[in-house]
Amino acid sequence: MQQSIASRPGLVHADESQLVIVDIQSRLGEGMPAKVANRVIQNAILLARSASVCEVPVVLTEQQPAMLGTTYSDVRAAAPEGTPTIEKTSFSVQRAEAFEGVMSGHSAGRNQIILVGMEAHISILQSAIDLSVAGHEVFVVEDAVCSRRLENYQNALDRLRQNGIFVVSAESIVFEWIRDQSHPAFAAVQNWLR
């Protein structure tokens, strides 16, 4: 018997997805190679805008913002109005005290978690594995995550794959959300990609 399209693992669905933007903060960004940080910020903005028009909930997290600064203003502005921000001390979002409350209210019933942010080998890796163990289908957007050192970034992607986490691109996520050229958001997405 053939699986329904909605039940096939590996493809994201707008009505099942939750975008989690992890620690894209000013002081963390300053420690990244400028070109890499810019790529992560631009792809996070693309995903946040696309989430907004595809009605995908977004959550922002900040790792000790008093020390590491707040989320880049362009990223925050791209997120839908009313997007919650969770301050945390744990590296994994799953271990942040407020995260489960936000997920059960703001994002109830959405099992696919799309992760973007800083740093790939710390907060992204720990979050992805913890969320997967908790039963979520986890997607890490490789062109929207980074580490200060290339070897840490590469090692994180290897470990994610070894743990059954999907490693994807920002454009793949966006086009899986809209699914068809007839989608009302298609023209907007095309503009953002230019």
Side-chain angles (χ1 to χ4, degrees):
M1 181 177 199
Q2 188 176 7
Q3 279 183 313
S4 73
I5 290 173
S7 68
R8 291 183 191 155
L11 289 175
V12 297
H13 306 275
D15 60 352
E16 297 175 23
S17 293
Q18 161 73 56
L19 175 63
V20 182
I21 300 175
V22 181
D23 308 346
I24 301 184
Q25 296 165 253
S26 55
R27 291 199 194 116
L28 280 173
E30 290 166 7
M32 305 296 159
K35 184 176 178 181
V36 171
N38 186 56
R39 181 198 74 215
V40 168
I41 291 165
Q42 293 310 309
N43 282 322
I45 290 169
L46 169 67
L47 286 162
R49 285 177 175 162
S50 299
S52 185
V53 297
C54 292
E55 299 180 1
V56 172
V58 178
V59 173
L60 299 169
T61 73
E62 294 178 344
Q63 182 77 23
Q64 293 195 320
M67 286 176 44
L68 298 175
T70 57
T71 301
Y72 280 93
S73 59
D74 290 350
V75 173
R76 182 177 298 284
E81 191 173 327
T83 294
T85 300
I86 298 170
E87 291 186 19
K88 62 186 184 67
T89 58
S90 61
F91 297 117
S92 171
V93 299
Q94 178 72 16
R95 296 176 188 272
E97 199 172 304
F99 188 74
E100 278 306 312
V102 167
M103 291 298 288
S104 63
H106 178 68
S107 310
R110 291 177 179 262
N111 195 48
Q112 294 184 324
I113 308 293
I114 293 49
L115 290 175
V116 304
M118 301 176 183
E119 290 193 59
H121 65 297
I122 303 172
S123 292
I124 297 297
L125 178 70
Q126 291 183 35
S127 297
I129 292 173
D130 280 351
L131 288 162
S132 180
V133 168
H136 295 284
E137 188 177 21
V138 182
F139 298 79
V140 171
V141 184
E142 69 179 323
D143 52 355
V145 299
C146 62
S147 296
R148 285 163 288 157
R149 294 189 174 144
L150 179 60
E151 59 268 27
N152 286 332
Y153 168 79
Q154 292 171 331
N155 179 261
L157 296 184
D158 289 344
R159 287 184 65 195
L160 289 163
R161 289 183 179 107
Q162 290 164 6
N163 279 277
I165 309 300
F166 294 102
V167 178
V168 297
S169 72
E171 283 195 33
S172 289
I173 294 293
V174 170
F175 284 102
E176 286 168 35
W177 279 342
I178 64 174
R179 201 64 79 183
D180 191 292
Q181 197 168 347
S182 65
H183 192 286
F186 179 75
V189 168
Q190 286 291 91
N191 274 339
W192 297 329
L193 291 171
R194 289 192 179 124

mmCIF file of all heavy atoms in Angstrom, residues 58-95:
data_model
loop_
_atom_site.group_PDB
_atom_site.id
_atom_site.type_symbol
_atom_site.label_atom_id
_atom_site.label_comp_id
_atom_site.label_asym_id
_atom_site.label_seq_id
_atom_site.Cartn_x
_atom_site.Cartn_y
_atom_site.Cartn_z
ATOM 1 N N VAL A 58 6.770 30.493 14.300
ATOM 2 C CA VAL A 58 8.200 30.735 14.500
ATOM 3 C C VAL A 58 8.452 30.987 15.977
ATOM 4 O O VAL A 58 7.644 31.631 16.645
ATOM 5 C CB VAL A 58 8.672 31.958 13.670
ATOM 6 C CG1 VAL A 58 10.152 32.244 13.900
ATOM 7 C CG2 VAL A 58 8.386 31.761 12.190
ATOM 8 N N VAL A 59 9.564 30.473 16.466
ATOM 9 C CA VAL A 59 10.034 30.745 17.824
ATOM 10 C C VAL A 59 11.471 31.212 17.717
ATOM 11 O O VAL A 59 12.260 30.651 16.951
ATOM 12 C CB VAL A 59 9.965 29.481 18.717
ATOM 13 C CG1 VAL A 59 10.612 29.727 20.073
ATOM 14 C CG2 VAL A 59 8.537 29.019 18.900
ATOM 15 N N LEU A 60 11.815 32.250 18.472
ATOM 16 C CA LEU A 60 13.202 32.719 18.574
ATOM 17 C C LEU A 60 13.753 32.294 19.923
ATOM 18 O O LEU A 60 13.026 32.329 20.923
ATOM 19 C CB LEU A 60 13.268 34.245 18.487
ATOM 20 C CG LEU A 60 12.759 34.919 17.220
ATOM 21 C CD1 LEU A 60 12.653 36.417 17.427
ATOM 22 C CD2 LEU A 60 13.667 34.612 16.050
ATOM 23 N N THR A 61 15.029 31.909 19.960
ATOM 24 C CA THR A 61 15.684 31.691 21.246
ATOM 25 C C THR A 61 16.905 32.580 21.330
ATOM 26 O O THR A 61 17.519 32.917 20.309
ATOM 27 C CB THR A 61 16.100 30.217 21.478
ATOM 28 O OG1 THR A 61 17.237 29.903 20.659
ATOM 29 C CG2 THR A 61 14.953 29.264 21.205
ATOM 30 N N GLU A 62 17.244 32.950 22.564
ATOM 31 C CA GLU A 62 18.440 33.753 22.820
ATOM 32 C C GLU A 62 19.199 33.154 23.991
ATOM 33 O O GLU A 62 18.623 32.932 25.059
ATOM 34 C CB GLU A 62 18.056 35.201 23.131
ATOM 35 C CG GLU A 62 17.433 35.906 21.940
ATOM 36 C CD GLU A 62 16.992 37.336 22.206
ATOM 37 O OE1 GLU A 62 16.874 37.718 23.392
ATOM 38 O OE2 GLU A 62 16.755 38.065 21.236
ATOM 39 N N GLN A 63 20.476 32.882 23.755
ATOM 40 C CA GLN A 63 21.355 32.340 24.793
ATOM 41 C C GLN A 63 21.910 33.510 25.603
ATOM 42 O O GLN A 63 22.655 34.322 25.072
ATOM 43 C CB GLN A 63 22.500 31.553 24.136
ATOM 44 C CG GLN A 63 23.449 30.896 25.101
ATOM 45 C CD GLN A 63 22.867 29.628 25.708
ATOM 46 O OE1 GLN A 63 21.977 29.008 25.146
ATOM 47 N NE2 GLN A 63 23.370 29.251 26.857
ATOM 48 N N GLN A 64 21.522 33.610 26.841
ATOM 49 C CA GLN A 64 21.973 34.666 27.752
ATOM 50 C C GLN A 64 22.177 36.012 27.031
ATOM 51 O O GLN A 64 23.300 36.469 26.834
ATOM 52 C CB GLN A 64 23.255 34.241 28.449
ATOM 53 C CG GLN A 64 23.042 33.088 29.394
ATOM 54 C CD GLN A 64 24.196 32.889 30.346
ATOM 55 O OE1 GLN A 64 25.356 33.010 29.989
ATOM 56 N NE2 GLN A 64 23.857 32.579 31.583
ATOM 57 N N PRO A 65 21.078 36.651 26.618
ATOM 58 C CA PRO A 65 21.191 37.877 25.819
ATOM 59 C C PRO A 65 21.943 39.013 26.507
ATOM 60 O O PRO A 65 22.533 39.852 25.820
ATOM 61 C CB PRO A 65 19.736 38.260 25.536
ATOM 62 C CG PRO A 65 18.918 37.492 26.516
ATOM 63 C CD PRO A 65 19.692 36.257 26.832
ATOM 64 N N ALA A 66 21.969 39.042 27.835
ATOM 65 C CA ALA A 66 22.733 40.092 28.523
ATOM 66 C C ALA A 66 24.217 39.991 28.189
ATOM 67 O O ALA A 66 24.925 41.004 28.156
ATOM 68 C CB ALA A 66 22.525 39.987 30.036
ATOM 69 N N MET A 67 24.694 38.776 27.933
ATOM 70 C CA MET A 67 26.099 38.568 27.578
ATOM 71 C C MET A 67 26.335 38.551 26.066
ATOM 72 O O MET A 67 27.339 39.052 25.588
ATOM 73 C CB MET A 67 26.596 37.223 28.144
ATOM 74 C CG MET A 67 26.820 37.198 29.632
ATOM 75 S SD MET A 67 27.289 35.535 30.204
ATOM 76 C CE MET A 67 28.483 35.017 29.005
ATOM 77 N N LEU A 68 25.391 37.944 25.327
ATOM 78 C CA LEU A 68 25.629 37.665 23.906
ATOM 79 C C LEU A 68 24.822 38.552 22.966
ATOM 80 O O LEU A 68 24.866 38.356 21.751
ATOM 81 C CB LEU A 68 25.327 36.188 23.615
ATOM 82 C CG LEU A 68 26.215 35.195 24.369
ATOM 83 C CD1 LEU A 68 25.762 33.768 24.122
ATOM 84 C CD2 LEU A 68 27.681 35.366 23.968
ATOM 85 N N GLY A 69 24.094 39.510 23.512
ATOM 86 C CA GLY A 69 23.293 40.391 22.677
ATOM 87 C C GLY A 69 21.981 39.731 22.286
ATOM 88 O O GLY A 69 21.751 38.552 22.544
ATOM 89 N N THR A 70 21.127 40.509 21.667
ATOM 90 C CA THR A 70 19.810 40.014 21.275
ATOM 91 C C THR A 70 19.839 39.553 19.809
ATOM 92 O O THR A 70 20.840 39.723 19.113
ATOM 93 C CB THR A 70 18.745 41.109 21.453
ATOM 94 O OG1 THR A 70 19.132 42.248 20.689
ATOM 95 C CG2 THR A 70 18.598 41.498 22.919
ATOM 96 N N THR A 71 18.732 38.988 19.383
ATOM 97 C CA THR A 71 18.584 38.538 17.999
ATOM 98 C C THR A 71 18.776 39.724 17.055
ATOM 99 O O THR A 71 18.291 40.829 17.327
ATOM 100 C CB THR A 71 17.181 37.933 17.793
ATOM 101 O OG1 THR A 71 17.016 36.839 18.701
ATOM 102 C CG2 THR A 71 16.979 37.443 16.370
ATOM 103 N N TYR A 72 19.473 39.501 15.953
ATOM 104 C CA TYR A 72 19.645 40.559 14.948
ATOM 105 C C TYR A 72 18.282 41.147 14.601
ATOM 106 O O TYR A 72 17.310 40.408 14.378
ATOM 107 C CB TYR A 72 20.295 39.998 13.683
ATOM 108 C CG TYR A 72 21.788 39.847 13.783
ATOM 109 C CD1 TYR A 72 22.362 38.658 14.194
ATOM 110 C CD2 TYR A 72 22.639 40.904 13.457
ATOM 111 C CE1 TYR A 72 23.739 38.508 14.280
ATOM 112 C CE2 TYR A 72 24.015 40.768 13.543
ATOM 113 C CZ TYR A 72 24.557 39.565 13.949
ATOM 114 O OH TYR A 72 25.924 39.433 14.041
ATOM 115 N N SER A 73 18.220 42.457 14.515
ATOM 116 C CA SER A 73 16.930 43.127 14.311
ATOM 117 C C SER A 73 16.280 42.740 12.985
ATOM 118 O O SER A 73 15.051 42.629 12.904
ATOM 119 C CB SER A 73 17.093 44.646 14.407
ATOM 120 O OG SER A 73 18.021 45.102 13.441
ATOM 121 N N ASP A 74 17.064 42.501 11.932
ATOM 122 C CA ASP A 74 16.493 42.112 10.639
ATOM 123 C C ASP A 74 15.830 40.737 10.714
ATOM 124 O O ASP A 74 14.812 40.495 10.068
ATOM 125 C CB ASP A 74 17.574 42.091 9.552
ATOM 126 C CG ASP A 74 18.070 43.479 9.182
ATOM 127 O OD1 ASP A 74 17.456 44.468 9.621
ATOM 128 O OD2 ASP A 74 19.075 43.568 8.455
ATOM 129 N N VAL A 75 16.419 39.850 11.493
ATOM 130 C CA VAL A 75 15.843 38.513 11.667
ATOM 131 C C VAL A 75 14.542 38.622 12.455
ATOM 132 O O VAL A 75 13.507 38.062 12.078
ATOM 133 C CB VAL A 75 16.838 37.562 12.357
ATOM 134 C CG1 VAL A 75 16.184 36.219 12.683
ATOM 135 C CG2 VAL A 75 18.084 37.373 11.500
ATOM 136 N N ARG A 76 14.585 39.363 13.539
ATOM 137 C CA ARG A 76 13.384 39.550 14.372
ATOM 138 C C ARG A 76 12.262 40.203 13.555
ATOM 139 O O ARG A 76 11.104 39.796 13.639
ATOM 140 C CB ARG A 76 13.714 40.407 15.587
ATOM 141 C CG ARG A 76 12.528 40.597 16.534
ATOM 142 C CD ARG A 76 12.907 41.401 17.760
ATOM 143 N NE ARG A 76 13.908 40.750 18.557
ATOM 144 C CZ ARG A 76 13.699 39.711 19.374
ATOM 145 N NH1 ARG A 76 12.490 39.201 19.483
ATOM 146 N NH2 ARG A 76 14.676 39.186 20.061
ATOM 147 N N ALA A 77 12.587 41.199 12.744
ATOM 148 C CA ALA A 77 11.576 41.910 11.950
ATOM 149 C C ALA A 77 10.939 41.011 10.894
ATOM 150 O O ALA A 77 9.782 41.208 10.520
ATOM 151 C CB ALA A 77 12.198 43.140 11.286
ATOM 152 N N ALA A 78 11.677 40.010 10.421
ATOM 153 C CA ALA A 78 11.147 39.108 9.393
ATOM 154 C C ALA A 78 10.170 38.078 9.968
ATOM 155 O O ALA A 78 9.348 37.537 9.242
ATOM 156 C CB ALA A 78 12.296 38.387 8.697
ATOM 157 N N ALA A 79 10.279 37.819 11.262
ATOM 158 C CA ALA A 79 9.405 36.823 11.904
ATOM 159 C C ALA A 79 7.984 37.369 12.002
ATOM 160 O O ALA A 79 7.769 38.581 12.075
ATOM 161 C CB ALA A 79 9.937 36.482 13.286
ATOM 162 N N PRO A 80 6.997 36.483 12.005
ATOM 163 C CA PRO A 80 5.610 36.947 12.121
ATOM 164 C C PRO A 80 5.383 37.739 13.409
ATOM 165 O O PRO A 80 6.063 37.513 14.418
ATOM 166 C CB PRO A 80 4.805 35.637 12.161
ATOM 167 C CG PRO A 80 5.701 34.598 11.600
ATOM 168 C CD PRO A 80 7.101 35.031 11.908
ATOM 169 N N GLU A 81 4.423 38.659 13.349
ATOM 170 C CA GLU A 81 4.073 39.430 14.538
ATOM 171 C C GLU A 81 3.647 38.484 15.658
ATOM 172 O O GLU A 81 2.960 37.497 15.425
ATOM 173 C CB GLU A 81 2.926 40.384 14.204
ATOM 174 C CG GLU A 81 2.669 41.408 15.279
ATOM 175 C CD GLU A 81 1.636 42.436 14.852
ATOM 176 O OE1 GLU A 81 1.585 42.766 13.651
ATOM 177 O OE2 GLU A 81 0.888 42.903 15.731
ATOM 178 N N GLY A 82 4.106 38.784 16.860
ATOM 179 C CA GLY A 82 3.755 37.954 18.010
ATOM 180 C C GLY A 82 4.652 36.748 18.221
ATOM 181 O O GLY A 82 4.378 35.907 19.080
ATOM 182 N N THR A 83 5.731 36.646 17.440
ATOM 183 C CA THR A 83 6.665 35.530 17.600
ATOM 184 C C THR A 83 7.290 35.569 18.987
ATOM 185 O O THR A 83 7.868 36.584 19.377
ATOM 186 C CB THR A 83 7.775 35.590 16.525
ATOM 187 O OG1 THR A 83 7.182 35.383 15.242
ATOM 188 C CG2 THR A 83 8.848 34.545 16.769
ATOM 189 N N PRO A 84 7.184 34.473 19.746
ATOM 190 C CA PRO A 84 7.771 34.470 21.096
ATOM 191 C C PRO A 84 9.296 34.331 21.051
ATOM 192 O O PRO A 84 9.850 33.727 20.134
ATOM 193 C CB PRO A 84 7.142 33.243 21.761
ATOM 194 C CG PRO A 84 6.731 32.361 20.639
ATOM 195 C CD PRO A 84 6.454 33.244 19.459
ATOM 196 N N THR A 85 9.943 34.926 22.054
ATOM 197 C CA THR A 85 11.384 34.785 22.239
ATOM 198 C C THR A 85 11.621 34.106 23.575
ATOM 199 O O THR A 85 11.100 34.544 24.599
ATOM 200 C CB THR A 85 12.089 36.158 22.223
ATOM 201 O OG1 THR A 85 11.839 36.789 20.965
ATOM 202 C CG2 THR A 85 13.592 36.007 22.424
ATOM 203 N N ILE A 86 12.411 33.050 23.550
ATOM 204 C CA ILE A 86 12.732 32.301 24.758
ATOM 205 C C ILE A 86 14.185 32.573 25.127
ATOM 206 O O ILE A 86 15.087 32.306 24.333
ATOM 207 C CB ILE A 86 12.523 30.789 24.542
ATOM 208 C CG1 ILE A 86 11.065 30.498 24.227
ATOM 209 C CG2 ILE A 86 13.007 29.991 25.751
ATOM 210 C CD1 ILE A 86 10.811 29.079 23.766
ATOM 211 N N GLU A 87 14.404 33.108 26.327
ATOM 212 C CA GLU A 87 15.767 33.252 26.833
ATOM 213 C C GLU A 87 16.160 31.940 27.480
ATOM 214 O O GLU A 87 15.352 31.295 28.153
ATOM 215 C CB GLU A 87 15.841 34.393 27.850
ATOM 216 C CG GLU A 87 15.649 35.749 27.227
ATOM 217 C CD GLU A 87 15.871 36.889 28.225
ATOM 218 O OE1 GLU A 87 16.502 36.658 29.285
ATOM 219 O OE2 GLU A 87 15.404 37.996 27.929
ATOM 220 N N LYS A 88 17.424 31.541 27.272
ATOM 221 C CA LYS A 88 17.852 30.255 27.809
ATOM 222 C C LYS A 88 19.299 30.302 28.289
ATOM 223 O O LYS A 88 20.072 31.167 27.880
ATOM 224 C CB LYS A 88 17.661 29.149 26.759
ATOM 225 C CG LYS A 88 18.481 29.321 25.492
ATOM 226 C CD LYS A 88 18.096 28.265 24.469
ATOM 227 C CE LYS A 88 18.945 28.334 23.224
ATOM 228 N NZ LYS A 88 20.351 27.996 23.389
ATOM 229 N N THR A 89 19.614 29.366 29.161
ATOM 230 C CA THR A 89 20.999 29.132 29.563
ATOM 231 C C THR A 89 21.456 27.770 29.061
ATOM 232 O O THR A 89 22.646 27.564 28.837
ATOM 233 C CB THR A 89 21.170 29.200 31.095
ATOM 234 O OG1 THR A 89 20.304 28.236 31.693
ATOM 235 C CG2 THR A 89 20.847 30.587 31.620
ATOM 236 N N SER A 90 20.525 26.834 28.856
ATOM 237 C CA SER A 90 20.875 25.528 28.304
ATOM 238 C C SER A 90 21.206 25.716 26.827
ATOM 239 O O SER A 90 20.652 26.591 26.164
ATOM 240 C CB SER A 90 19.708 24.558 28.459
ATOM 241 O OG SER A 90 18.571 25.036 27.764
ATOM 242 N N PHE A 91 22.080 24.889 26.311
ATOM 243 C CA PHE A 91 22.399 24.988 24.884
ATOM 244 C C PHE A 91 21.260 24.411 24.047
ATOM 245 O O PHE A 91 20.925 24.948 23.004
ATOM 246 C CB PHE A 91 23.732 24.288 24.587
ATOM 247 C CG PHE A 91 24.882 24.935 25.304
ATOM 248 C CD1 PHE A 91 25.605 24.234 26.255
ATOM 249 C CD2 PHE A 91 25.224 26.257 25.063
ATOM 250 C CE1 PHE A 91 26.645 24.828 26.933
ATOM 251 C CE2 PHE A 91 26.262 26.868 25.743
ATOM 252 C CZ PHE A 91 26.978 26.147 26.682
ATOM 253 N N SER A 92 20.653 23.338 24.497
ATOM 254 C CA SER A 92 19.536 22.734 23.789
ATOM 255 C C SER A 92 18.256 23.525 24.048
ATOM 256 O O SER A 92 17.917 23.804 25.201
ATOM 257 C CB SER A 92 19.337 21.287 24.263
ATOM 258 O OG SER A 92 18.137 20.760 23.751
ATOM 259 N N VAL A 93 17.520 23.833 22.986
ATOM 260 C CA VAL A 93 16.234 24.520 23.167
ATOM 261 C C VAL A 93 15.259 23.629 23.925
ATOM 262 O O VAL A 93 14.431 24.113 24.699
ATOM 263 C CB VAL A 93 15.620 24.977 21.824
ATOM 264 C CG1 VAL A 93 16.525 25.945 21.099
ATOM 265 C CG2 VAL A 93 15.256 23.811 20.917
ATOM 266 N N GLN A 94 15.356 22.328 23.712
ATOM 267 C CA GLN A 94 14.450 21.377 24.352
ATOM 268 C C GLN A 94 14.564 21.437 25.875
ATOM 269 O O GLN A 94 13.613 21.168 26.590
ATOM 270 C CB GLN A 94 14.763 19.952 23.847
ATOM 271 C CG GLN A 94 13.945 18.845 24.460
ATOM 272 C CD GLN A 94 12.501 18.833 23.981
ATOM 273 O OE1 GLN A 94 12.159 19.448 22.986
ATOM 274 N NE2 GLN A 94 11.659 18.117 24.692
ATOM 275 N N ARG A 95 15.726 21.829 26.377
ATOM 276 C CA ARG A 95 15.950 21.874 27.822
ATOM 277 C C ARG A 95 15.643 23.251 28.430
ATOM 278 O O ARG A 95 15.726 23.419 29.643
ATOM 279 C CB ARG A 95 17.379 21.468 28.135
ATOM 280 C CG ARG A 95 17.657 20.021 27.754
ATOM 281 C CD ARG A 95 19.103 19.627 27.973
ATOM 282 N NE ARG A 95 19.361 18.304 27.425
ATOM 283 C CZ ARG A 95 19.187 17.171 28.085
ATOM 284 N NH1 ARG A 95 18.742 17.188 29.327
ATOM 285 N NH2 ARG A 95 19.443 16.018 27.504
#
